[in-house]
Amino acid sequence: MKRFFGLVLAFGFIFAGCAEKQVVKPEQPATQETTQKAAAPEAKAEPAPVAAKEEPKRVETVPVTEVVETKPGVVAIENIHFDFDKYNIRDDAKPVLRGVSDWFVKNKSAKMLLEGHCDERGTNEYNLALGERRAKSTRDYLVSSGVGKDRLEMISFGEERPLCKEQTEECWQKNRRAQFVIKNAAEGSRK
Amino acid sequence: MKSAEVRSQESGVRNKKQLFFIFCILYSVFCILHSADAKVYVDITSPEVKKLPIAIQEFNGKEGKNIADIIKEDLEFTGFFLCLDRAMYIESSLQAFNSKNWTVVGAEAVVKGNVNGEQNLIVTASFYDVFENRELFKKEYKGEKGSVRQLAHSISNDIYKHITGENGIFRTRIAFVAEDEDKKGLYIMGWDGTGIKRLGIKGDFVLTPHWSKDGTKLLYSSERGGKWGIYLLDFTKMTERNIFEAKGLNMTGNFFPDGDEIMLSSSKDETYGLYSLRISDSRLIRIISTRWIEVSPSVSPDGKLVVFVSDRGGTPQIYIMNKNGYDVRRLTFEGSYNTSPAWSPTGENIVFVGRSSGKHHIFTINPDGAGLKQLTDRGNNEDPSFSPDGRFIIFSSDREGVNGIYIMRANGESQKRITPAWLRAFGPRWSPN
């Protein structure tokens, strides 16, 4: 008899154990999740605020681009362009690059940032690498024509900063470029 | 039961040993029974899965219909369930389960449930086998009113586990990149596209994040002040720190299985190469360096192989090597543009982006180069990766105009957008848990 009750009790333990587990288990991750999400700083992404913000921002971007355009107006250096998926310097870029190295002769302490860009076709990471290669080809060409390496910095923006957003070959060609940004331009032009 | 407790207390030390012995025997018997009980209703490993006809009744009480609908959506998306139309049901949700009411309808499994409480909900879900006329499980789920989706996903996970024997992905999250005011930031959401939140990190550009194996950290590359650095975000503390910065372009790959070491690509020192970095002591090892583009390294789940992209053959193609940089071989030969490789959780498959007729599509291939399959055919499709159970692929696509995030089954079926149309979204990665 005792043994029988032992059995019953043991069964009781097993089932009690299971039942308890089942009740507790699903709740735990639920709270974990909510605390994680609640902890996210500046968490916001409801459709309304994003849509509302887009409108005024679009108005603000216009004066920003205008400012950028007046600066290179002092020393206008046109962009050089590349073939699709390529990073070799094309013949049509060489006169521009000669102009750039002449500019460096005149502006002895000036420095330049070479930006490499791509068109929107292609995957992000590869396009960033491609953009960097375009910047590097540009730099190597300038170095071989006598510009000091330390005067040239490079950065790739991949497909992140297109000049034009249409899906046409003309537009894509505009975006596949190396862009010349004069650093401490004021200092350079004074000398 | 009560008398049993009293008696066993009286029985003393001598019987305790006996009791423990009986308990052990019973427990092992129970375990055997239990394992026999865990029958697999749907063998999802077989190539031609027969869908399980299932009835998901509206739960009684507040949010009851909502919960039942979420479970239905979850289960249907897996492709292993056929959810029967509620209009067909004979048994009302208030009636007790009776298998006779369901055989007529053609259901093989039935879900019924109740919701109690106002602010703090207690949901009881019961799952029944119609053929065997018995309850498979009955479970209680607790949560706040706002976490109805999470509660419903938990029920889906339990049903899925019971039917397939595998863990469901219904409570997993997606980390991704989205654009707001022309800046790209990191975002997080549920796998079903709900609960989108932006993580408040700095910088204007960020690339596809990678999860740590335990799902508590995110690894990503971000451009800040003209420098590309690699950052690690800790969800448990909501902190971020820079773990790698150097001149040039630095982009992170994923974690090694140990959770401490990562792969990355960098053009530091003017050479282009792939490196491994141990986070704990910043030990950097150069694995390969060439004069070509070498990017997007991805470590296999067993940590032995690395798949990456190189243009050493004239066009970007996917290559595979062992983790020390030896035995490099080319994996893709179709087409002139193959990038963005990611492993399946078993290491049996690699998903990547290939260009075909000028558009980008998602492909899968075996690590030995066999079994190439194209999974998408509309728009441009990028940034693919597998779900933690390997049954789904998440990717981004511009097929409906604005770039958004999509999921599909690993065979390409059931492609659907999960991000809202107003959000420009890219680079999704599925959380491991």
Side-chain angles (χ1 to χ4, degrees):
Chain A
M1 197 54 187
K2 266 183 192 169
R3 206 170 272 191
F4 171 71
F5 281 124
L7 279 175
V8 171
L9 187 65
F11 256 118
F13 275 138
I14 292 165
F15 284 112
C18 290
E20 218 168 19
K21 236 188 216 165
Q22 285 176 347
V23 174
V24 175
K25 206 182 165 191
E27 195 199 6
Q28 224 170 5
T31 47
Q32 223 172 8
E33 190 106 351
T34 44
T35 49
Q36 265 179 14
K37 282 187 179 167
E42 295 172 43
K44 60 132 221 179
E46 291 311 307
V50 172
K53 252 179 204 166
E54 227 164 37
E55 274 179 70
K57 193 70 194 173
R58 208 168 274 164
V59 185
E60 280 171 37
T61 31
V62 182
V64 174
T65 36
E66 275 176 6
V67 172
V68 173
E69 271 175 40
T70 53
K71 258 190 182 173
V74 183
V75 246
I77 301 172
E78 58 178 299
N79 299 335
I80 60 167
H81 298 100
F82 295 84
D83 285 336
F84 182 48
D85 277 348
K86 295 280 190 291
Y87 45 82
N88 56 301
I89 299 294
R90 295 196 321 212
D91 284 345
D92 65 347
K94 288 173 184 168
V96 180
L97 291 170
R98 272 195 292 275
V100 174
S101 65
D102 289 348
W103 183 88
F104 270 106
V105 174
K106 283 178 212 144
N107 299 273
K108 290 201 164 51
S109 66
K111 287 183 177 178
M112 216 180 251
L113 176 66
L114 309 174
E115 293 180 2
H117 298 266
C118 303
D119 67 33
E120 58 169 19
R121 296 170 298 168
T123 47
N124 266 341
E125 288 194 9
Y126 191 77
N127 266 350
L128 279 161
L130 190 61
E132 192 186 43
R133 281 314 189 98
R134 286 177 179 162
K136 188 171 183 288
S137 307
T138 309
R139 190 205 54 180
D140 290 351
Y141 192 95
L142 290 172
V143 168
S144 68
S145 63
V147 182
K149 225 179 184 179
D150 54 339
R151 301 174 72 186
L152 298 163
E153 280 179 38
M154 300 179 287
I155 189 156
S156 173
F157 288 108
E159 60 186 82
E160 307 285 354
R161 291 188 181 175
L163 289 177
C164 139
K165 288 190 174 178
E166 285 155 51
Q167 301 200 330
T168 59
E169 177 45 41
E170 197 189 340
C171 180
W172 287 328
Q173 175 61 91
K174 259 186 206 166
N175 291 336
R176 294 193 300 267
R177 69 198 191 275
Q179 210 166 313
F180 304 90
V181 180
I182 296 156
K183 299 188 87 178
N184 50 13
E187 194 188 318
S189 53
R190 248 183 266 133
K191 289 182 182 179
Chain B
M1 204 54 189
K2 237 179 193 167
S3 64
E5 273 171 31
V6 174
R7 270 161 197 265
S8 70
Q9 270 169 10
E10 285 168 355
S11 58
V13 187
R14 187 178 55 85
N15 271 10
K16 267 194 184 162
K17 261 187 187 169
Q18 225 172 1
L19 200 68
F20 182 71
F21 182 66
I22 292 165
F23 179 83
C24 286
I25 290 176
L26 270 175
Y27 189 75
S28 50
V29 169
F30 177 78
C31 284
I32 292 162
L33 276 175
H34 189 78
S35 60
D37 181 51
K39 104 178 184 197
V40 172
Y41 288 79
V42 176
D43 179 13
I44 52 181
T45 55
S46 89
E48 279 181 39
V49 180
K50 184 189 160 287
K51 290 184 182 186
L52 183 83
I54 186 169
I56 302 161
Q57 202 145 39
E58 273 181 34
F59 284 28
N60 299 310
K62 204 173 181 162
E63 299 282 357
K65 182 177 185 299
N66 193 8
I67 290 173
D69 288 346
I70 296 165
I71 298 171
K72 178 175 178 281
E73 264 173 54
D74 283 352
L75 297 181
E76 269 185 341
F77 184 71
T78 66
F80 305 134
F81 296 85
L82 177 71
C83 297
L84 301 172
D85 187 359
R86 279 182 205 138
M88 291 160 58
Y89 302 174
I90 299 163
E91 191 174 286
S92 91
S93 61
L94 295 164
Q95 283 175 294
F97 169 78
N98 183 337
S99 63
K100 282 178 195 150
N101 294 333
W102 297 106
T103 36
V104 200
V105 178
E108 291 179 24
V110 176
V111 184
K112 289 171 89 89
N114 291 298
V115 187
N116 289 306
E118 286 288 321
Q119 284 308 311
N120 294 308
L121 302 179
I122 301 172
V123 183
T124 316
S126 302
F127 191 41
Y128 302 94
D129 181 320
V130 175
F131 287 155
E132 295 179 13
N133 190 20
R134 69 186 181 104
E135 190 178 80
L136 291 170
F137 72 74
K138 183 174 189 167
K139 265 186 164 184
E140 218 171 85
Y141 305 82
K142 290 179 189 167
E144 285 168 25
K145 196 177 137 201
S147 62
V148 166
R149 286 203 84 85
Q150 297 306 322
L151 286 175
H153 288 325
S154 296
I155 300 170
S156 302
N157 272 341
D158 286 332
I159 293 169
Y160 188 83
K161 175 96 189 187
H162 219 92
I163 292 299
T164 65
E166 288 190 12
N167 290 325
I169 43 89
F170 307 115
R171 292 196 48 150
T172 53
R173 291 156 296 158
I174 310 292
F176 63 103
V177 175
E179 207 171 276
D180 184 13
E181 299 171 6
D182 274 341
K183 290 180 177 181
K184 281 185 174 168
L186 268 189
Y187 287 68
I188 194 156
M189 65 182 173
W191 79 285
D192 54 1
T194 60
I196 299 174
K197 288 195 168 67
R198 188 171 74 182
L199 298 168
I201 61 158
K202 288 181 189 157
D204 296 350
F205 296 135
V206 60
L207 299 177
T208 306
H210 298 271
W211 290 89
S212 63
K213 303 287 169 200
D214 63 358
T216 64
K217 295 186 185 79
L218 270 188
L219 187 64
Y220 46 90
S221 328
S222 172
E223 184 266 327
R224 297 179 191 179
K227 283 192 172 124
W228 280 97
I230 296 173
Y231 298 83
L232 186 68
L233 185 146
D234 186 338
F235 281 108
T236 60
K237 300 178 198 143
M238 285 317 294
T239 54
E240 179 203 60
R241 69 189 174 98
N242 177 275
I243 57 163
F244 184 78
E245 200 172 71
K247 257 195 172 180
L249 181 62
N250 310 297
M251 299 189 286
T252 189
N254 60 344
F255 280 92
F256 276 90
D258 71 352
D260 187 22
E261 217 168 345
I262 63 166
M263 278 298 300
L264 60 91
S265 71
S266 173
S267 61
K268 75 184 206 74
D269 313 329
E270 305 249 331
T271 54
Y272 293 72
L274 302 178
Y275 299 78
S276 71
L277 172 71
R278 199 159 65 192
I279 298 171
S280 52
D281 61 359
S282 305
R283 184 195 65 174
L284 187 71
I285 298 174
R286 179 180 292 161
I287 308 234
I288 50 168
S289 87
T290 64
R291 53 199 194 88
W292 312 108
I293 291 175
E294 316 270 8
V295 288
S296 306
S298 178
V299 185
S300 64
D302 65 5
K304 289 178 181 163
L305 298 168
V306 175
V307 63
F308 62 99
V309 175
S310 172
D311 72 335
R312 57 178 72 187
T315 56
Q317 296 292 343
I318 294 169
Y319 291 77
I320 201 165
M321 65 180 179
N322 81 24
K323 67 164 183 177
N324 301 317
Y326 300 114
D327 303 328
V328 179
R329 62 185 167 84
R330 183 168 159 179
L331 187 63
T332 51
F333 291 91
E334 290 276 323
S336 61
Y337 195 99
N338 294 298
T339 62
S340 303
W343 293 89
S344 74
T346 58
E348 288 165 355
N349 246 310
I350 290 163
V351 64
F352 65 96
V353 173
R355 187 182 285 158
S356 135
S357 333
K359 293 279 185 190
H360 287 156
H361 289 296
I362 310 295
F363 292 81
T364 50
I365 196 167
N366 303 342
D368 64 0
L372 180 71
K373 258 183 257 162
Q374 182 174 342
L375 302 180
T376 57
D377 57 8
R378 292 173 56 206
N380 282 297
N381 306 276
E382 294 179 10
D383 311 317
S385 65
F386 279 91
S387 62
D389 64 355
R391 306 219 163 268
F392 308 100
I393 290 169
I394 193 158
F395 59 103
S396 71
S397 177
D398 67 357
R399 62 182 66 179
E400 288 165 289
V402 178
N403 218 80
I405 290 170
Y406 289 71
I407 47 179
M408 63 181 168
R409 292 185 203 138
N411 62 4
E413 284 174 10
S414 292
Q415 306 193 1
K416 70 168 180 183
R417 184 187 182 112
I418 57 167
T419 47
W422 51 267
L423 189 66
R424 273 171 62 76
F426 322 80
R429 289 280 159 162
W430 217 305
S431 74
N433 46 24

